[in-house]
Amino acid sequence: MMNRSMTLMMAATVSGMLGFYLLFSTVPLYAAAGGAGGFGAGLATGAMMLSTVLLELAVPWLLARYGYRAALALGLVLLGVPALVLPLSSALPVVLAVSLLRGGGLGILVVTGTALTAELVPAERRGEGLGVYGVAVGIPSVMGLPLGLWAAGALGFTPVFLVAALVPLAGLVAVPMLPALKARPQASSSSEHVSGLARPILIFASVTVATGVLVTFLPLAVSPSLASVALLVQSICTPAARWWAGRFGDRHGSARLLLPGLALGAAGMALQVWPGGVIAGMVLFGIGFGLLQNATLAVMFERGAVGRVSALWNLAYDAGMGVGAVGFGFLVGATGYGLGFVLVALVMVAALPLVHRVSSTPTVISSPSL
């Protein structure tokens, strides 16, 4: 499974993701320090995620028109080059322009990497391949987020910006050695095909909404130190569960993991109402999230062309987190954190009826479309 092309693709993708996560929290801090305050910091993150979602929708066309190598190279360039502008000015318009470009690079990179993994891995081991890829792209978040913030405080912003620009650009070395593949758009638009993709997307979106809530509001609901430990535990459990889910899914079917993934995620979310259950709850939530990451993606790849599936899945990931954070912000004033967390858990419970429909939906496409 870990052939030369797969190894090169993962090296390029991990380099891009590391460059992204080094600045994920550092750029908002830079904007605030430059005089934009909390509003400017939030606007920088919002601009980046907006362009991420918009570009994700365009990637299937990009893959079909120009191929995987060109798309991967463009994503790495957009993540790297704009960061070189940041040392020149901390003015909010400059920061927002850089954030928009880098967000577009992220959208291209995550969709292309997921789709290319499905192309390069043998069909009978696709679930495990997606699990290994998930573990690999999870490492930059664990390393890059704390490292970027620490380095900005200890060394200053400029060295962090330069390293975060050069790391993605270094990944360009691997791109020419990848196979020259192009994706073929999926022609089917029947209601059966659309529902075959929509149901796993809704299941996955229910847990990404909860993820956006936890990442944004758990530090406010409990002590920051407890939240940092809880989020670290979740970030470790999720890729481990994603890898295991791939191995299990290849042997027994990925659809079997949808029910336990939702149940564990909902239980973990509900435990956040009790301070003594925060860590245990994040273990359960992290495992459920990892199971659903792999299972929903594998099920969707059985039913659609890789470019479209990767775009829709990543869109559900990023948009769900954004909707969860923004929506809970409006909700929490009326409900408080405890009841709010319970309501989010109920959103996942509400997705349970979709599990049976996914399991009973026939496969439309069983192999990647080149």
Short mmCIF file of all heavy atoms in Angstrom, two decimals, residues 1 4 60 132 234 296 365:
data_model
loop_
_atom_site.label_atom_id
_atom_site.label_comp_id
_atom_site.label_asym_id
_atom_site.label_seq_id
_atom_site.Cartn_x
_atom_site.Cartn_y
_atom_site.Cartn_z
N MET A 1 0.82 -1.20 0.00
CA MET A 1 0.00 0.00 0.00
C MET A 1 0.86 1.26 0.00
O MET A 1 0.60 2.20 -0.74
CB MET A 1 -0.93 0.01 1.21
CG MET A 1 -1.84 1.22 1.29
SD MET A 1 -2.87 1.19 2.77
CE MET A 1 -1.60 1.37 4.03
N ARG A 4 5.74 4.10 -3.72
CA ARG A 4 6.51 5.33 -3.88
C ARG A 4 5.59 6.53 -4.08
O ARG A 4 5.79 7.59 -3.48
CB ARG A 4 7.45 5.19 -5.08
CG ARG A 4 8.31 6.42 -5.37
CD ARG A 4 9.32 6.07 -6.46
NE ARG A 4 10.17 7.19 -6.79
CZ ARG A 4 9.90 8.08 -7.75
NH1 ARG A 4 8.79 7.94 -8.47
NH2 ARG A 4 10.73 9.07 -7.99
N PRO A 60 -12.91 19.61 -7.89
CA PRO A 60 -13.20 18.54 -8.86
C PRO A 60 -12.98 18.98 -10.31
O PRO A 60 -12.44 18.22 -11.12
CB PRO A 60 -14.68 18.21 -8.59
CG PRO A 60 -14.86 18.55 -7.15
CD PRO A 60 -14.01 19.76 -6.92
N VAL A 132 -4.42 5.62 7.16
CA VAL A 132 -3.01 6.00 7.25
C VAL A 132 -2.83 7.46 6.85
O VAL A 132 -2.10 8.22 7.49
CB VAL A 132 -2.14 5.08 6.37
CG1 VAL A 132 -0.71 5.59 6.30
CG2 VAL A 132 -2.17 3.65 6.90
N GLN A 234 -8.32 14.32 22.58
CA GLN A 234 -9.15 14.10 21.38
C GLN A 234 -8.31 14.04 20.12
O GLN A 234 -8.54 13.21 19.23
CB GLN A 234 -10.19 15.22 21.28
CG GLN A 234 -11.16 15.08 20.11
CD GLN A 234 -10.77 15.97 18.95
OE1 GLN A 234 -10.46 17.15 19.14
NE2 GLN A 234 -10.81 15.44 17.74
N THR A 296 -17.45 7.38 6.86
CA THR A 296 -18.24 8.16 5.91
C THR A 296 -17.50 8.36 4.60
O THR A 296 -18.09 8.26 3.52
CB THR A 296 -18.61 9.53 6.50
OG1 THR A 296 -17.42 10.20 6.95
CG2 THR A 296 -19.56 9.37 7.68
N ILE A 365 -20.82 3.41 -7.57
CA ILE A 365 -19.50 3.28 -8.20
C ILE A 365 -18.60 2.57 -7.21
O ILE A 365 -18.51 2.95 -6.05
CB ILE A 365 -18.91 4.67 -8.53
CG1 ILE A 365 -19.77 5.36 -9.58
CG2 ILE A 365 -17.49 4.53 -9.04
CD1 ILE A 365 -19.32 6.77 -9.91
#
